[in-house]
Amino acid sequence: MTVYIADYDKALYFTLWGQWDDLLILMVRTKDDFLSKKIESFLHSYHYSQNDQEVMTSHGDLMHYIDHAMIHMPAFSITEYTEEV
């Protein structure tokens, strides 16, 4: 499975700027199942949770996963993406 770093950049941008519709579209389109589930969990808790702590926890989990994925992205995945464009 090849996941491009652009997915993580977009997820970070959409999350930081509160663009929930774009984040939802990214959730559906990304090939990274873990990223999709983290986005789903965050959006669900943001829209339906009565508990602010739950929202903050799911937001933190999403941000932590994005950070982890970007740091551990193999260099060849990044170069594959730039060569394909």
Side-chain angles (χ1 to χ4, degrees):
M1 176 179 83
T2 302
V3 177
Y4 303 122
I5 201 157
D7 287 347
Y8 305 117
D9 281 336
K10 288 178 186 177
L12 181 61
Y13 181 83
F14 298 152
T15 303
L16 291 175
W17 289 101
Q19 297 178 342
W20 309 138
D21 293 339
D22 294 325
L23 193 61
L24 179 66
I25 292 168
L26 178 64
M27 178 189 82
V28 173
R29 290 185 178 171
T30 187
K31 295 184 188 323
D32 184 342
D33 292 334
F34 291 117
L35 178 60
S36 180
K37 289 294 181 186
K38 295 290 183 183
I39 293 171
E40 178 184 14
S41 175
F42 168 67
L43 290 176
H44 185 271
S45 66
Y46 181 81
H47 286 288
Y48 299 111
S49 179
Q50 300 288 326
N51 184 354
D52 288 341
Q53 186 60 41
E54 184 180 334
V55 175
M56 295 302 293
T57 300
S58 64
H59 179 267
D61 290 345
L62 174 59
M63 297 301 283
H64 179 76
Y65 179 73
I66 292 169
D67 184 49
H68 174 79
M70 289 179 80
I71 288 173
H72 292 93
M73 176 65 73
F76 69 86
S77 296
I78 297 169
T79 56
E80 284 178 4
Y81 178 71
T82 56
E83 291 174 1
E84 290 177 6
V85 174

